[in-house]
Structures are given as structure tokens and as C-alpha cells.
mmCIF file of all heavy atoms in Angstrom:
data_model
loop_
_atom_site.group_PDB
_atom_site.id
_atom_site.type_symbol
_atom_site.label_atom_id
_atom_site.label_comp_id
_atom_site.label_asym_id
_atom_site.label_seq_id
_atom_site.Cartn_x
_atom_site.Cartn_y
_atom_site.Cartn_z
ATOM 1 N N LEU A 1 83.690 91.008 74.224
ATOM 2 C CA LEU A 1 84.735 90.401 75.048
ATOM 3 C C LEU A 1 86.107 90.857 74.564
ATOM 4 O O LEU A 1 86.424 90.760 73.367
ATOM 5 C CB LEU A 1 84.625 88.875 74.979
ATOM 6 C CG LEU A 1 85.693 88.091 75.743
ATOM 7 C CD1 LEU A 1 85.598 88.375 77.236
ATOM 8 C CD2 LEU A 1 85.556 86.594 75.473
ATOM 9 N N LEU A 2 86.909 91.356 75.506
ATOM 10 C CA LEU A 2 88.250 91.810 75.169
ATOM 11 C C LEU A 2 89.276 90.705 75.409
ATOM 12 O O LEU A 2 90.222 90.546 74.649
ATOM 13 C CB LEU A 2 88.602 93.050 75.995
ATOM 14 C CG LEU A 2 89.873 93.810 75.607
ATOM 15 C CD1 LEU A 2 89.767 94.320 74.177
ATOM 16 C CD2 LEU A 2 90.093 94.988 76.548
ATOM 17 N N GLY A 3 89.093 89.936 76.491
ATOM 18 C CA GLY A 3 90.022 88.850 76.765
ATOM 19 C C GLY A 3 89.975 88.442 78.224
ATOM 20 O O GLY A 3 89.235 89.015 79.037
ATOM 21 N N ALA A 4 90.763 87.414 78.552
ATOM 22 C CA ALA A 4 90.850 86.928 79.926
ATOM 23 C C ALA A 4 91.906 87.723 80.686
ATOM 24 O O ALA A 4 92.994 87.993 80.166
ATOM 25 C CB ALA A 4 91.195 85.439 79.939
ATOM 26 N N VAL A 5 91.600 88.112 81.923
ATOM 27 C CA VAL A 5 92.525 88.909 82.726
ATOM 28 C C VAL A 5 93.608 87.998 83.286
ATOM 29 O O VAL A 5 93.331 87.042 84.021
ATOM 30 C CB VAL A 5 91.783 89.623 83.871
ATOM 31 C CG1 VAL A 5 92.774 90.381 84.744
ATOM 32 C CG2 VAL A 5 90.725 90.565 83.313
ATOM 33 N N SER A 6 94.850 88.289 82.914
ATOM 34 C CA SER A 6 95.976 87.499 83.413
ATOM 35 C C SER A 6 96.743 88.217 84.510
ATOM 36 O O SER A 6 97.404 87.580 85.326
ATOM 37 C CB SER A 6 96.932 87.169 82.259
ATOM 38 O OG SER A 6 97.450 88.368 81.686
ATOM 39 N N GLN A 7 96.659 89.551 84.532
ATOM 40 C CA GLN A 7 97.327 90.340 85.570
ATOM 41 C C GLN A 7 96.386 91.468 86.000
ATOM 42 O O GLN A 7 95.718 92.077 85.158
ATOM 43 C CB GLN A 7 98.647 90.947 85.050
ATOM 44 C CG GLN A 7 99.705 89.941 84.644
ATOM 45 C CD GLN A 7 100.346 89.284 85.854
ATOM 46 O OE1 GLN A 7 100.366 89.849 86.941
ATOM 47 N NE2 GLN A 7 100.888 88.084 85.661
ATOM 48 N N ARG A 8 96.360 91.707 87.286
ATOM 49 C CA ARG A 8 95.581 92.834 87.806
ATOM 50 C C ARG A 8 96.505 93.721 88.614
ATOM 51 O O ARG A 8 97.202 93.250 89.526
ATOM 52 C CB ARG A 8 94.415 92.351 88.662
ATOM 53 C CG ARG A 8 93.490 93.480 89.094
ATOM 54 C CD ARG A 8 92.195 92.953 89.675
ATOM 55 N NE ARG A 8 92.400 92.201 90.910
ATOM 56 C CZ ARG A 8 91.416 91.621 91.586
ATOM 57 N NH1 ARG A 8 90.182 91.682 91.121
ATOM 58 N NH2 ARG A 8 91.668 90.962 92.687
ATOM 59 N N MET A 9 96.528 95.003 88.283
ATOM 60 C CA MET A 9 97.453 95.958 88.895
ATOM 61 C C MET A 9 96.695 97.159 89.455
ATOM 62 O O MET A 9 95.638 97.535 88.943
ATOM 63 C CB MET A 9 98.475 96.449 87.865
ATOM 64 C CG MET A 9 99.268 95.346 87.184
ATOM 65 S SD MET A 9 100.593 94.746 88.230
ATOM 66 C CE MET A 9 101.398 93.600 87.093
ATOM 67 N N ASP A 10 97.281 97.778 90.488
ATOM 68 C CA ASP A 10 96.806 99.054 91.025
ATOM 69 C C ASP A 10 97.884 100.095 90.777
ATOM 70 O O ASP A 10 99.031 99.934 91.232
ATOM 71 C CB ASP A 10 96.518 98.952 92.523
ATOM 72 C CG ASP A 10 95.320 98.070 92.815
ATOM 73 O OD1 ASP A 10 94.426 98.008 91.964
ATOM 74 O OD2 ASP A 10 95.281 97.435 93.889
ATOM 75 N N ALA A 11 97.542 101.144 90.037
ATOM 76 C CA ALA A 11 98.505 102.208 89.744
ATOM 77 C C ALA A 11 98.510 103.209 90.894
ATOM 78 O O ALA A 11 97.519 103.891 91.130
ATOM 79 C CB ALA A 11 98.154 102.895 88.429
ATOM 80 N N GLU A 12 99.641 103.288 91.597
ATOM 81 C CA GLU A 12 99.779 104.208 92.725
ATOM 82 C C GLU A 12 100.796 105.283 92.376
ATOM 83 O O GLU A 12 101.839 105.001 91.778
ATOM 84 C CB GLU A 12 100.222 103.448 93.975
ATOM 85 C CG GLU A 12 99.232 102.376 94.415
ATOM 86 C CD GLU A 12 99.727 101.588 95.625
ATOM 87 O OE1 GLU A 12 100.948 101.698 95.918
ATOM 88 O OE2 GLU A 12 98.924 100.882 96.252
ATOM 89 N N ILE A 13 100.490 106.504 92.753
ATOM 90 C CA ILE A 13 101.373 107.630 92.432
ATOM 91 C C ILE A 13 102.733 107.414 93.076
ATOM 92 O O ILE A 13 102.836 107.087 94.265
ATOM 93 C CB ILE A 13 100.759 108.951 92.910
ATOM 94 C CG1 ILE A 13 99.416 109.177 92.211
ATOM 95 C CG2 ILE A 13 101.692 110.126 92.644
ATOM 96 C CD1 ILE A 13 98.626 110.334 92.771
ATOM 97 N N LEU A 14 103.797 107.577 92.291
ATOM 98 C CA LEU A 14 105.160 107.390 92.787
ATOM 99 C C LEU A 14 105.692 108.723 93.286
ATOM 100 O O LEU A 14 105.762 109.696 92.541
ATOM 101 C CB LEU A 14 106.047 106.843 91.661
ATOM 102 C CG LEU A 14 107.438 106.382 92.072
ATOM 103 C CD1 LEU A 14 107.349 105.176 92.988
ATOM 104 C CD2 LEU A 14 108.257 106.028 90.836
ATOM 105 N N HIS A 15 106.064 108.769 94.564
ATOM 106 C CA HIS A 15 106.518 110.020 95.166
ATOM 107 C C HIS A 15 108.039 110.147 95.221
ATOM 108 O O HIS A 15 108.562 111.210 95.520
ATOM 109 C CB HIS A 15 105.992 110.132 96.597
ATOM 110 C CG HIS A 15 104.502 110.103 96.673
ATOM 111 N ND1 HIS A 15 103.705 110.797 95.814
ATOM 112 C CD2 HIS A 15 103.668 109.451 97.522
ATOM 113 C CE1 HIS A 15 102.426 110.596 96.126
ATOM 114 N NE2 HIS A 15 102.378 109.761 97.144
ATOM 115 N N GLU A 16 108.759 109.108 94.967
ATOM 116 C CA GLU A 16 110.218 109.162 95.102
ATOM 117 C C GLU A 16 110.858 109.655 93.820
ATOM 118 O O GLU A 16 110.445 109.319 92.714
ATOM 119 C CB GLU A 16 110.759 107.779 95.454
ATOM 120 C CG GLU A 16 110.306 107.281 96.816
ATOM 121 C CD GLU A 16 110.854 105.912 97.133
ATOM 122 O OE1 GLU A 16 111.471 105.305 96.236
ATOM 123 O OE2 GLU A 16 110.665 105.456 98.260
ATOM 124 N N SER A 17 111.885 110.468 93.979
ATOM 125 C CA SER A 17 112.575 111.031 92.823
ATOM 126 C C SER A 17 113.657 110.102 92.315
ATOM 127 O O SER A 17 114.104 110.224 91.181
ATOM 128 C CB SER A 17 113.182 112.388 93.185
ATOM 129 O OG SER A 17 114.115 112.230 94.250
ATOM 130 N N GLN A 18 114.094 109.170 93.136
ATOM 131 C CA GLN A 18 115.135 108.241 92.737
ATOM 132 C C GLN A 18 114.608 106.823 92.847
ATOM 133 O O GLN A 18 114.052 106.445 93.871
ATOM 134 C CB GLN A 18 116.383 108.394 93.628
ATOM 135 C CG GLN A 18 117.004 109.783 93.520
ATOM 136 C CD GLN A 18 118.202 109.918 94.421
ATOM 137 O OE1 GLN A 18 118.500 109.029 95.200
ATOM 138 N NE2 GLN A 18 118.897 111.042 94.298
ATOM 139 N N ALA A 19 114.779 106.038 91.816
ATOM 140 C CA ALA A 19 114.241 104.682 91.781
ATOM 141 C C ALA A 19 114.979 103.787 92.753
ATOM 142 O O ALA A 19 116.211 103.807 92.834
ATOM 143 C CB ALA A 19 114.365 104.103 90.369
ATOM 144 N N GLY A 20 114.226 102.996 93.506
ATOM 145 C CA GLY A 20 114.816 101.981 94.365
ATOM 146 C C GLY A 20 115.510 102.511 95.575
ATOM 147 O O GLY A 20 116.305 101.796 96.194
ATOM 148 N N THR A 21 115.271 103.773 95.988
ATOM 149 C CA THR A 21 115.920 104.324 97.174
ATOM 150 C C THR A 21 114.855 104.774 98.150
ATOM 151 O O THR A 21 113.719 105.026 97.785
ATOM 152 C CB THR A 21 116.834 105.513 96.819
ATOM 153 O OG1 THR A 21 116.015 106.580 96.337
ATOM 154 C CG2 THR A 21 117.841 105.129 95.752
ATOM 155 N N THR A 22 115.267 104.897 99.376
ATOM 156 C CA THR A 22 114.366 105.412 100.409
ATOM 157 C C THR A 22 114.838 106.765 100.901
ATOM 158 O O THR A 22 114.307 107.289 101.858
ATOM 159 C CB THR A 22 114.303 104.436 101.589
ATOM 160 O OG1 THR A 22 115.622 104.202 102.083
ATOM 161 C CG2 THR A 22 113.695 103.106 101.154
ATOM 162 N N THR A 23 115.857 107.301 100.259
ATOM 163 C CA THR A 23 116.364 108.620 100.643
ATOM 164 C C THR A 23 116.066 109.595 99.514
ATOM 165 O O THR A 23 115.804 109.212 98.366
ATOM 166 C CB THR A 23 117.881 108.578 100.895
ATOM 167 O OG1 THR A 23 118.528 108.123 99.691
ATOM 168 C CG2 THR A 23 118.210 107.613 102.021
ATOM 169 N N GLY A 24 116.202 110.863 99.810
ATOM 170 C CA GLY A 24 115.949 111.879 98.806
ATOM 171 C C GLY A 24 114.521 111.893 98.321
ATOM 172 O O GLY A 24 114.255 112.138 97.156
ATOM 173 N N VAL A 25 113.552 111.613 99.238
ATOM 174 C CA VAL A 25 112.152 111.586 98.843
ATOM 175 C C VAL A 25 111.716 112.982 98.423
ATOM 176 O O VAL A 25 111.953 113.951 99.118
ATOM 177 C CB VAL A 25 111.277 111.079 99.995
ATOM 178 C CG1 VAL A 25 109.801 111.147 99.595
ATOM 179 C CG2 VAL A 25 111.667 109.653 100.348
ATOM 180 N N GLN A 26 111.075 113.060 97.260
ATOM 181 C CA GLN A 26 110.653 114.351 96.737
ATOM 182 C C GLN A 26 109.338 114.178 95.990
ATOM 183 O O GLN A 26 109.242 113.348 95.092
ATOM 184 C CB GLN A 26 111.725 114.917 95.794
ATOM 185 C CG GLN A 26 111.346 116.282 95.217
ATOM 186 C CD GLN A 26 112.433 116.810 94.318
ATOM 187 O OE1 GLN A 26 113.475 116.179 94.161
ATOM 188 N NE2 GLN A 26 112.194 117.948 93.728
ATOM 189 N N LEU A 27 108.337 114.917 96.343
ATOM 190 C CA LEU A 27 107.050 114.818 95.677
ATOM 191 C C LEU A 27 107.156 115.281 94.234
ATOM 192 O O LEU A 27 107.846 116.259 93.927
ATOM 193 C CB LEU A 27 106.001 115.661 96.405
ATOM 194 C CG LEU A 27 105.516 115.142 97.760
ATOM 195 C CD1 LEU A 27 104.542 116.139 98.344
ATOM 196 C CD2 LEU A 27 104.871 113.782 97.623
ATOM 197 N N ASP A 28 106.479 114.562 93.346
ATOM 198 C CA ASP A 28 106.399 114.968 91.961
ATOM 199 C C ASP A 28 105.768 116.359 91.888
ATOM 200 O O ASP A 28 104.785 116.643 92.550
ATOM 201 C CB ASP A 28 105.552 113.944 91.192
ATOM 202 C CG ASP A 28 105.483 114.262 89.715
ATOM 203 O OD1 ASP A 28 104.665 115.123 89.349
ATOM 204 O OD2 ASP A 28 106.239 113.656 88.949
ATOM 205 N N ALA A 29 106.356 117.235 91.059
ATOM 206 C CA ALA A 29 105.876 118.620 90.989
ATOM 207 C C ALA A 29 104.420 118.693 90.542
ATOM 208 O O ALA A 29 103.641 119.491 91.053
ATOM 209 C CB ALA A 29 106.766 119.419 90.042
ATOM 210 N N SER A 30 104.038 117.838 89.590
ATOM 211 C CA SER A 30 102.658 117.849 89.114
ATOM 212 C C SER A 30 101.700 117.376 90.201
ATOM 213 O O SER A 30 100.599 117.913 90.362
ATOM 214 C CB SER A 30 102.524 116.949 87.879
ATOM 215 O OG SER A 30 103.345 117.425 86.830
ATOM 216 N N TYR A 31 102.148 116.350 90.947
ATOM 217 C CA TYR A 31 101.287 115.843 92.027
ATOM 218 C C TYR A 31 101.154 116.890 93.126
ATOM 219 O O TYR A 31 100.083 117.049 93.713
ATOM 220 C CB TYR A 31 101.893 114.557 92.597
ATOM 221 C CG TYR A 31 101.072 113.966 93.718
ATOM 222 C CD1 TYR A 31 99.825 113.405 93.454
ATOM 223 C CD2 TYR A 31 101.538 113.974 95.026
ATOM 224 C CE1 TYR A 31 99.064 112.858 94.464
ATOM 225 C CE2 TYR A 31 100.774 113.437 96.051
ATOM 226 C CZ TYR A 31 99.537 112.872 95.765
ATOM 227 O OH TYR A 31 98.791 112.350 96.770
ATOM 228 N N ARG A 32 102.243 117.634 93.402
ATOM 229 C CA ARG A 32 102.172 118.685 94.404
ATOM 230 C C ARG A 32 101.173 119.759 93.975
ATOM 231 O O ARG A 32 100.380 120.242 94.781
ATOM 232 C CB ARG A 32 103.553 119.314 94.616
ATOM 233 C CG ARG A 32 103.573 120.351 95.744
ATOM 234 C CD ARG A 32 104.904 121.072 95.841
ATOM 235 N NE ARG A 32 105.984 120.150 96.106
ATOM 236 C CZ ARG A 32 106.921 119.825 95.209
ATOM 237 N NH1 ARG A 32 106.881 120.360 93.992
ATOM 238 N NH2 ARG A 32 107.884 118.987 95.514
ATOM 239 N N ALA A 33 101.184 120.119 92.697
ATOM 240 C CA ALA A 33 100.239 121.116 92.195
ATOM 241 C C ALA A 33 98.805 120.597 92.290
ATOM 242 O O ALA A 33 97.873 121.339 92.619
ATOM 243 C CB ALA A 33 100.574 121.474 90.746
ATOM 244 N N LEU A 34 98.611 119.300 92.026
ATOM 245 C CA LEU A 34 97.274 118.712 92.100
ATOM 246 C C LEU A 34 96.742 118.731 93.525
ATOM 247 O O LEU A 34 95.590 119.082 93.776
ATOM 248 C CB LEU A 34 97.314 117.279 91.566
ATOM 249 C CG LEU A 34 95.991 116.501 91.578
ATOM 250 C CD1 LEU A 34 94.978 117.164 90.655
ATOM 251 C CD2 LEU A 34 96.218 115.051 91.165
#
């Protein structure tokens, strides 16, 4: 037993180059290569 789960999260790839904006969307270079 590791412990009781207090938070459950889904990690989704972040495509925006600027935090908190909806403009200047730019795919991560590594994700584009993938």
C-alpha cells in the first residue's frame, strides 16, 4: 500500500507557447516531431 488517493489528475500535452493566453498558439517542437 502506497497511500490514499487525494487528487486524481490527467496529464494533457500543452500546445500553447504562452501561459494563460489563447493567442500565439504554437505546437511544442518535441510534440511536433513525435
